[in-house]
Amino acid sequence: MNSQIQLINVSQQFSDQGATVHLFSNLNLVIQQGRSYAITGPSGSGKSSLLMIMAGLEQPHAGRLSYFTSNTIAPLDSLRRSTGFVFQQFHLLPELSALHNVALPLKLRGDKYAEEKAEVWLAKVGLANRMNHKPTTLSGGEQQRVALARALVFEPKYIFADEPTGNLDANSAHDVADLLFSCCEEQNAALVVVTHCQKLARRAQRVFNLEFGHCGVQRDDARRGALC
């Protein structure tokens, strides 16, 4: 049985120059492995913060996050080990080649086949001939492909992507979106994308709109059996 993430009465806030800013309150959401989701909404509404909470990387001010596998609650550390993250700014290490950037998460886990697996994933994202290039010699689209390969190399159950096409031209954005959806479908992974791009959001099976502290379902295409 596929796993799922549940957010129960989750609220988030932060302090800004002594004032308390409330991002959202009492959100109840379920993210199921194998499905695709988009989170839309205006700047400053808390989309990125919500994404971090879903991934178990940020604590909510109130409420709780639960991770279920085989109908039992699993530790959040287990969720973090099952999560890949794709950032708008790529966050590649400039001193490392594409190959070593992708292999690094596996090496940190002690995987002795890290580089071989990194080679496979770089080939999957179309960078077989750019493996030994450092980020500064790669285009923005190529850097995002490296970041995508790095997120997917350990075959996580969940991929969280924060504006993954925001810094790319139209052609590169389309290619990266295709890769995100197709790779997640291949791996039976959940895909959760924060985006301002309505064209990208429409590719998801379910669209949440976060605005005025609340998260409403903008669209739920339950009839679709594939991620794209």
Side-chain angles (χ1 to χ4, degrees), residues 185-196:
E185 181 178 16
E186 178 185 325
Q187 299 298 320
N188 189 35
L191 173 62
V192 187
V193 179
V194 163
T195 183
H196 283 97

Side-chain angles (χ1 to χ4, degrees), residues 121-140:
W121 272 100
L122 283 168
K124 284 186 178 183
V125 300
L127 293 177
N129 62 341
R130 305 285 278 171
M131 293 185 186
N132 295 316
H133 290 252
K134 292 184 178 180
T136 54
T137 67
L138 301 174
S139 69

Side-chain angles (χ1 to χ4, degrees), residues 121 125 148 152 178-188:
W121 272 100
V125 300
L148 178 57
L152 289 163
D178 280 349
L179 284 167
L180 264 174
F181 280 87
S182 63
C183 288
C184 286
E185 181 178 16
E186 178 185 325
Q187 299 298 320
N188 189 35

Side-chain angles (χ1 to χ4, degrees), residues 6-207:
Q6 291 187 6
L7 276 68
I8 302 168
N9 295 324
V10 166
S11 302
Q12 190 62 303
Q13 64 185 47
F14 66 92
S15 296
D16 182 21
Q17 297 180 346
T20 299
V21 178
H22 298 273
L23 290 175
F24 45 80
S25 301
N26 300 318
L27 300 189
N28 292 278
L29 303 172
V30 175
I31 303 299
Q32 295 177 325
Q33 183 186 345
R35 298 201 71 201
S36 58
Y37 304 81
I39 302 172
T40 63
S43 297
S45 59
K47 299 185 299 298
S48 295
S49 184
L50 177 57
L51 198 70
M52 296 290 280
I53 291 172
M54 286 179 174
L57 301 176
E58 184 176 304
Q59 290 290 324
H61 173 72
R64 72 179 189 272
L65 172 73
S66 295
Y67 176 47
F68 289 86
T69 60
S70 302
N71 290 324
T72 61
I73 297 179
L76 288 185
D77 281 347
S78 177
L79 170 61
R80 296 181 190 108
R81 290 194 298 271
S82 300
T83 294
F85 220 101
V86 182
F87 300 91
Q88 181 179 0
Q89 302 295 338
F90 317 138
H91 292 306
L92 302 177
L93 296 177
E95 68 274 16
L96 298 183
S97 66
L99 176 65
H100 289 114
N101 264 287
V102 175
L104 184 59
L106 293 177
K107 288 183 175 180
L108 293 174
R109 295 175 181 222
D111 191 328
K112 62 181 179 180
Y113 300 109
E115 292 190 11
E116 288 87 344
K117 292 179 180 178
E119 288 181 3
V120 169
W121 272 100
L122 283 168
K124 284 186 178 183
V125 300
L127 293 177
N129 62 341
R130 305 285 278 171
M131 293 185 186
N132 295 316
H133 290 252
K134 292 184 178 180
T136 54
T137 67
L138 301 174
S139 69
E142 288 172 332
Q143 290 185 62
Q144 191 62 298
R145 287 168 181 256
V146 174
L148 178 57
R150 180 184 58 190
L152 289 163
V153 71
F154 56 93
E155 300 182 358
K157 295 178 181 178
Y158 297 87
I159 293 293
F160 296 95
D162 193 357
E163 296 285 0
T165 61
N167 284 336
L168 305 179
D169 61 63
N171 288 335
S172 295
H174 182 270
D175 290 345
V176 165
D178 280 349
L179 284 167
L180 264 174
F181 280 87
S182 63
C183 288
C184 286
E185 181 178 16
E186 178 185 325
Q187 299 298 320
N188 189 35
L191 173 62
V192 187
V193 179
V194 163
T195 183
H196 283 97
C197 176
Q198 289 301 313
K199 185 176 181 180
L200 177 59
R202 284 194 296 269
R203 297 188 63 168
Q205 290 171 295
R206 195 171 203 190
V207 180

